[in-house]
Amino acid sequence: MATELELLNSIVIVISLSVVVLFIFHRLRAPTIVGFLLTGILAGPQGLGLISASEQVSLLADIGVVLLLFTVGIEVSLRDIIQLKKYVLIGGSLQVALTTVAVFLVMISLDLPVGTAVLLGLLVSLSSTAIVLRIIQKREEFDSLHGRTTLGILIFQDMAVVPMMLLIPLLPGSTLALGSSPLAVALKGLFIVALIIISAKWLVPRVLYSIARTRDRELFLLSIVAICLAVAWITSLAGLSLGLGAFLAGLIISESPYSHQAFGNIVPLRDVFTSFFFISIGMLLDVGVLIANPAFIVLLALAVMALKAALAGFAISLMGLPFRIIILVSLALSQIGEFSFVLSKVGFESGLISREYYQIFLDVTVLTLAATSLIMAVSPKVAEGMLRLPLPSRLKARPYPSVSKELEALEDHLIIIGYGVNGRNVARSAKRESIPYLIIDMDPEIVMREGKSGEPIYFGDAASEAVLNHVGICKAKAMVIAISDPSATRRITELARRLNSDIFIIARTRYVQEMKPLHDLGADEVIPEEYETSIEIF
């Protein structure tokens, strides 16, 4: 009875303290993950010493990890992976591989053991999906090229967590036992994956259909939780991790028509238990290490973020994306992610990293997470500043193909920025009315595909002066900006008006409140989706 009361007492303290801390963090617009970590620091033995049932809180944290990986599995739809395959497979794999190898080489040069060096490389390679995607969502940039690129790389990182967890027991120096040989574990894993694919194709959709027909929300929720825990339990019996099972269970449900409802139902549970995970990490955090070595920890955090941004930028540049997109995405991925906490805890328990290195890693990670909001807020200005530097125009803009005779002779033409739905419709109308036009888009695949079909489309970032000069901005009569990036729209408007004072600029925007800033920058017409949608609905 005393143990139950201790657990209840700890839960009440943790939740009450979390409410106060998160309210303050909300007012400061700081990341909630950092708020949970601070709650753990305050409640733990290094702080006020309010928690007595720390082992039970750790158990709740383990459930949080299972639910976190489960929801990642639901969110990582195979359709999304196929749609973003270039950014997921090429960008994600290059970013993770380059970061892991670079950190590994640095650690080896410092005479750390091979297993420790590999683990630290894996930990640093991951970025924060929760914080970065939330910021992109608030800024309405999911449809922009840098938003899609960032999402694709984060999807790859989330998927990479599972094989990383399987790799840790195999690293030299690990004290974690696999329970059987790696080959046996691999065979068991293949068997379970095959079983799960069969379940996803035939069994689970039928079961969920029968349950959904009852229209009983409690029954549906319990069924989703049962599937998650059952698959996790089966994988643990095979000698694999609970987290892998939860991730695979999420993948099963993601391919069913009920994935959105399942995700909506499980998110509140996930958020509650995941908060216990981050709080438990905060309880392990030794603030004394940060206080004793503030300059060292801050410089190390800055070095990690600079290294991650540089390597991510190099990986993205290999995909042929514009310089501005490279800057935005690399800065967005510069922090260490929440899944690194999961892996670091496993690495600490396996003996691969000492308590001292573990504490330094936690301090550095918390600082990079706390800096994310500020870095992403200033990233558009950083990108604009970099574009003004005397760098080679090919690096900054990457326009192609070279200027043709037809393009040189073109005048009084229409320039269309972005070849999404709006840009496509404008081009179709211009063609029907025999208006000369050309298109600028930053997606190399769209440019290649539409170029082959005969569209006058050019690759480049229209926020670059070199690209606009390339397409004859000074001789153009009108411009239509049809992209989903508010900051880029503002810069293109200002740049186009500066380069051609007579051009007629039509800009598409999402909200009415963005109309005045665009008019002030030189747009002649601003069409807000928010207002047009309300008229269409009426």
Side-chain angles (χ1 to χ4, degrees):
M1 185 67 181
T3 305
E4 285 83 351
L5 286 175
E6 282 182 5
L7 177 59
L8 181 60
N9 181 54
S10 298
I11 290 174
V12 170
I13 290 170
V14 162
I15 292 177
S16 303
L17 193 58
S18 296
V19 170
V20 175
V21 173
L22 291 183
F23 178 76
I24 296 170
F25 270 60
H26 176 74
R27 298 301 293 268
L28 297 174
R29 297 184 178 180
T32 54
I33 290 176
V34 180
F36 285 129
L37 293 167
L38 179 59
T39 302
I41 294 169
L42 292 173
Q46 303 292 331
L48 303 175
L50 301 175
I51 302 297
S52 53
S54 56
E55 290 184 6
Q56 289 89 334
V57 172
S58 296
L59 178 61
L60 296 176
D62 291 338
I63 297 173
V65 173
V66 167
L67 292 176
L68 185 63
L69 286 164
F70 177 58
T71 51
V72 168
I74 295 177
E75 286 185 291
V76 178
S77 168
L78 294 177
R79 296 186 193 92
D80 292 339
I81 295 172
I82 292 169
Q83 188 177 3
L84 297 168
K85 59 183 180 296
K86 177 181 177 182
Y87 309 117
V88 174
L89 300 176
I90 300 175
S93 59
L94 281 173
Q95 184 271 328
V96 170
L98 288 173
T99 309
T100 303
V101 170
V103 175
F104 170 79
L105 293 175
V106 171
M107 295 300 109
I108 287 294
S109 68
L110 296 174
D111 294 328
L112 266 68
V114 172
T116 304
V118 172
L119 176 63
L120 290 172
L122 296 175
L123 296 180
V124 175
S125 69
L126 301 176
S127 304
S128 176
T129 304
I131 293 177
V132 173
L133 292 190
R134 186 171 297 179
I135 293 171
I136 290 175
Q137 186 178 24
K138 284 183 179 178
R139 287 161 57 168
E140 303 288 343
E141 293 176 351
F142 262 127
D143 294 329
S144 64
L145 181 58
H146 70 266
R148 293 201 310 273
T149 307
T150 305
L151 174 62
I153 293 174
L154 289 172
I155 285 175
F156 182 87
Q157 289 182 0
D158 288 350
M159 292 191 301
V161 170
V162 175
M164 285 179 185
M165 291 180 74
L166 292 175
L167 178 64
I168 289 175
L170 302 174
L171 294 176
S174 174
T175 58
L176 288 180
L178 277 174
S180 53
S181 68
L183 179 61
V185 171
L187 291 174
K188 288 178 183 177
L190 289 173
F191 173 74
I192 289 171
V193 169
L195 182 65
I196 284 167
I197 290 171
I198 293 169
S199 301
K201 187 75 175 175
W202 291 285
L203 181 61
V204 171
R206 293 182 181 180
V207 171
L208 290 179
Y209 171 72
S210 302
I211 292 167
R213 286 183 62 188
T214 65
R215 301 194 177 186
D216 189 324
R217 291 181 61 188
E218 289 82 3
L219 178 61
F220 188 83
L221 174 60
L222 287 173
S223 303
I224 295 299
V225 174
I227 291 171
C228 168
L229 298 180
V231 176
W233 176 65
I234 291 170
T235 54
S236 67
L237 289 179
L240 304 174
S241 70
L242 287 169
L244 173 62
F247 177 78
L248 294 174
L251 275 181
I252 291 173
I253 293 172
S254 74
E255 296 307 305
S256 74
Y258 312 101
S259 58
H260 297 296
Q261 180 65 29
F263 182 78
N265 283 3
I266 207 73
V267 159
L269 271 178
R270 178 202 67 179
D271 290 344
V272 171
F273 284 101
T274 305
S275 67
F276 281 104
F277 170 71
F278 291 117
I279 289 167
S280 70
I281 293 294
M283 290 166 59
L284 294 171
L285 197 73
D286 188 351
V287 186
V289 175
L290 179 59
I291 295 172
N293 310 283
F296 172 71
I297 299 294
V298 171
L299 288 174
L300 188 57
L302 291 173
V304 166
M305 298 184 81
L307 178 66
K308 285 200 69 175
L311 293 172
F314 178 69
I316 299 159
S317 69
L318 295 178
M319 293 193 291
L321 294 177
F323 189 68
R324 181 174 172 276
I325 301 302
I326 293 170
I327 299 297
L328 293 176
V329 177
S330 60
L331 288 176
L333 298 173
S334 62
Q335 75 293 123
I336 301 176
E338 58 273 0
F339 278 117
S340 296
F341 286 127
V342 180
L343 291 177
S344 66
K345 194 173 181 182
V346 177
F348 178 61
E349 291 168 354
S350 68
L352 285 171
I353 50 177
S354 64
R355 180 171 293 278
E356 180 188 0
Y357 282 113
Y358 185 50
Q359 290 299 333
I360 292 172
F361 171 77
L362 293 179
D363 286 341
V364 169
T365 303
V366 171
L367 288 180
T368 62
L369 288 172
T372 302
S373 297
L374 176 62
I375 287 173
M376 291 188 68
V378 301
S379 60
K381 292 182 179 178
V382 172
E384 290 176 16
M386 295 285 282
L387 286 170
R388 293 193 185 100
L389 293 176
L391 298 172
S393 59
R394 187 167 183 80
L395 172 65
K396 293 194 288 185
R398 297 188 176 195
Y400 73 90
S402 58
V403 180
S404 62
K405 291 182 179 179
E406 291 81 4
L407 191 57
E408 284 182 334
L410 201 61
E411 59 182 30
D412 290 338
H413 56 288
L414 166 67
I415 299 175
I416 302 170
I417 311 298
Y419 202 62
V421 174
N422 291 325
R424 201 177 296 269
N425 288 332
V426 171
R428 192 178 293 124
S429 300
K431 185 181 292 184
R432 188 169 60 244
E433 299 297 327
S434 300
I435 297 172
Y437 70 94
L438 53 84
I439 307 152
I440 302 175
D441 198 276
M442 290 194 296
D443 192 324
E445 292 183 0
I446 291 176
V447 172
M448 186 176 295
R449 184 176 66 246
E450 299 301 329
K452 288 179 179 178
S453 66
E455 285 289 356
I457 188 168
Y458 297 87
F459 173 80
D461 181 3
S464 165
E465 186 173 336
V467 171
L468 292 182
N469 285 326
H470 177 80
V471 295
I473 182 70
C474 296
K475 297 185 290 181
K477 191 167 188 178
M479 172 185 280
V480 173
I481 306 172
I483 56 176
S484 301
D485 187 338
S487 63
T489 300
R490 288 192 291 271
R491 171 156 174 76
I492 293 167
T493 303
E494 183 272 330
L495 191 59
R497 177 59 65 213
R498 179 155 48 86
L499 294 173
N500 185 346
S501 58
D502 298 324
I503 192 170
F504 191 86
I505 301 173
I506 303 173
R508 163 245 183 153
T509 186
R510 188 154 289 186
Y511 300 113
V512 173
Q513 65 190 26
E514 294 173 1
M515 292 178 67
K516 188 177 184 305
L518 287 169
H519 277 303
D520 292 343
L521 288 169
D524 296 284
E525 291 285 343
V526 181
I527 302 172
E529 290 181 8
E530 191 175 45
Y531 183 68
E532 294 299 319
T533 303
S534 66
I535 293 174
E536 188 70 19
I537 291 171
F538 181 76

